[in-house]
Amino acid sequence: MVTVNSSPTANAGNDISILEGDSTTLSASGGNTYLWSTGETTQSITVNPNTTTTYSVTAFMNGCEDTDSVIVTVNAQVVANAGEDVTICENASTTLTASGGTDYLWNTGETTQSITVGPSTTTTYSVTVSNANSSDTDSVIVTVNPNPTANAGVDVTISEGESVTLTASGGNNYIWSTGETTQNITVSPNATTTYTVIAILNGCEDSDDVIVNVETDQVVANAGADVDICEGYSVTLTASGGTDYLWSTGETTQSIIVSPNSTTTYTVIVSNESSSDTDDVTVDVNPVPEVTVSNDTTILEGNYITLSASGANNYEWSNGATQPNIAVSPSVTTTYVVTGYINNCYDVKDVTVSVVEQVAVDAGEDTSICLGDEITLTATASGAEDFLWNTGETTQSIIVSPNVDTMYTVIASNSMDSNADEIMVSVNICENEEIIPKDEDFSFIAYIDSRVSDNILNIKLTGLEDECALYLFDISGKLIHSDEFNGNDGQEVIRTINTARISDGVYIIKVSDSDKEHSKSIVIK
């Protein structure tokens, strides 16, 4: 026969929490006998874990067993610390800082970890420190030491050459402004002097002064430090050391105003009822510079001009330059100011640079007219004051009525610059127009073919006979180039001029044969 025994149901009890350092009793149930993980075999055991620990128990009954466990959670124990006791001086403050938890409550009502206190008397401060599980209280004593009352003694008067003992009180230790640390010091000043003493008591301190007046019958004259002035200026001289004063100028006031023309030494006799003394002061007179600058000038926009200053040792221009000679290139008319210095004396001058705008001219787009018609040519220009057409006219606009294709050239200029442009007026024979016969078959065209070279001027001529000559003159009439050639019986002839070494400007081409002479103005760029 087989007997079936019922199994036990082990129960180690509910999980519990304790504070660090505390103990608790664990009780098991569900069996007849027990075996804990600690090795104990009683139904109840007492445990004191340092950290959270799981305990298991096995319950036995009728030869059967079952196991259960219980967790003992250990929470940290708060230990309040209000800090070390401190000592402060009267009217001072200190910061108290507690530790040991997460929340703080001081007996002042404040709830911060640190508080600042300034008690007038010795005071004990307590703080309750807590966290979620426990709390603790600690206290700190703030001892208040009274400030000493320093006393350096009453002011005293001595004669020159005598000494006096100064005695301080009010503290346990002393520090004098002389560096001495005794309660009594002996001093012998040559002039009236203030002495300071710091009295120290229980770490707190206070200070006091005492004046030692020194009476002297011996006059020590002082005319003041030597001074520098600029020529034409004045300066005040002040003497000291006595009650009466006599200057070498004859004046008897303590201060005098002088304005020497050259470096001069002044003497003063200083006296009192019993003695006198003499001292000198020198007034150095520095010359005022006579600065001269370049004359006002006019430049073309984009050019530079050098401005010069002289007559001083150092210079400061209004544009920041510090050299006597500066190169400028203003875009508009500008006045430059220069200050010239000799020592601390100075003179100021200015020079104006007038700027003339560069000339730009446009004779207009090439155009065409019908034979017999007329057209107005107008040059547009910036910076120009005068105009000169190759027709001889000097107006900005001219009216022309050529019979053949004609190139018109205009020169625009101002006082410092000129520029030229040309316009081709082509003449067409329009319907129903009368054809005006030419007086001659001569044709004269000057052009540069940039497809070949930008430096070769081509002169294409027809209608010439016999021996011919070609001349190139500049605008002033100076001969630049000459060339003799055969007219090819009136057929086309092309002559060339290399312009690589010729300056930009307006030039005159003149062509002649046995009985005719022809000229044309051209612009070389």
Side-chain angles (χ1 to χ4, degrees), residues 310-324:
S310 60
N313 294 337
N314 301 292
Y315 302 88
E316 184 177 298
W317 292 85
S318 53
N319 65 354
T322 57
Q323 300 299 319

Side-chain angles (χ1 to χ4, degrees), residues 83-97:
E84 297 293 330
D85 294 341
V86 294
T87 300
I88 63 172
C89 295
E90 189 178 1
N91 300 322
S93 62
T94 186
T95 297
L96 306 179
T97 300

Side-chain angles (χ1 to χ4, degrees), residues 33-275:
T33 59
Y34 302 91
L35 176 61
W36 291 89
S37 55
T38 61
E40 295 168 276
T41 58
T42 56
Q43 185 176 3
S44 298
I45 63 172
T46 299
V47 294
N48 183 19
N50 294 321
T51 60
T52 297
T53 304
T54 299
Y55 296 90
S56 62
V57 63
T58 301
F60 299 91
M61 185 172 64
N62 300 324
C64 299
E65 63 182 58
D66 188 29
T67 301
D68 191 26
S69 60
V70 61
I71 300 173
V72 178
T73 301
V74 179
N75 294 312
Q77 179 76 35
V78 168
V79 178
N81 183 358
E84 297 293 330
D85 294 341
V86 294
T87 300
I88 63 172
C89 295
E90 189 178 1
N91 300 322
S93 62
T94 186
T95 297
L96 306 179
T97 300
S99 62
T102 57
D103 299 300
Y104 301 88
L105 175 61
W106 294 86
N107 61 344
T108 63
E110 295 167 277
T111 58
T112 54
Q113 186 173 3
S114 297
I115 63 172
T116 300
V117 296
S120 58
T121 60
T122 298
T123 303
T124 299
Y125 295 89
S126 63
V127 61
T128 299
V129 181
S130 61
N131 60 19
N133 302 298
S134 66
S135 63
D136 190 25
T137 301
D138 192 26
S139 61
V140 58
I141 299 174
V142 178
T143 300
V144 179
N145 288 328
N147 290 321
T149 300
N151 186 356
V154 297
D155 297 340
V156 295
T157 300
I158 63 172
S159 298
E160 185 179 11
E162 292 182 342
S163 62
V164 64
T165 298
L166 305 179
T167 300
S169 62
N172 293 331
N173 301 100
Y174 303 90
I175 300 176
W176 290 89
S177 52
T178 62
E180 296 168 275
T181 58
T182 55
Q183 186 172 5
N184 303 316
I185 62 171
T186 299
V187 295
S188 181
N190 295 320
T192 295
T193 304
T194 298
Y195 296 89
T196 301
V197 66
I198 298 173
I200 303 170
L201 178 65
N202 297 324
C204 303
E205 61 184 49
D206 187 31
S207 64
D208 191 30
D209 296 332
V210 59
I211 299 174
V212 178
N213 296 291
V214 178
E215 291 184 343
T216 175
D217 292 331
Q218 184 66 42
V219 169
V220 178
N222 184 0
D226 294 341
V227 292
D228 291 325
I229 65 169
C230 297
E231 186 177 1
Y233 286 77
S234 61
V235 66
T236 298
L237 305 179
T238 300
S240 62
T243 57
D244 300 300
Y245 302 88
L246 175 61
W247 292 89
S248 52
T249 62
E251 295 166 278
T252 57
T253 53
Q254 187 172 2
S255 297
I256 63 172
I257 299 174
V258 297
S259 181
N261 294 321
S262 60
T263 296
T264 303
T265 297
Y266 296 87
T267 302
V268 62
I269 300 173
V270 181
S271 59
N272 59 18
E273 294 180 353
S274 56
S275 67

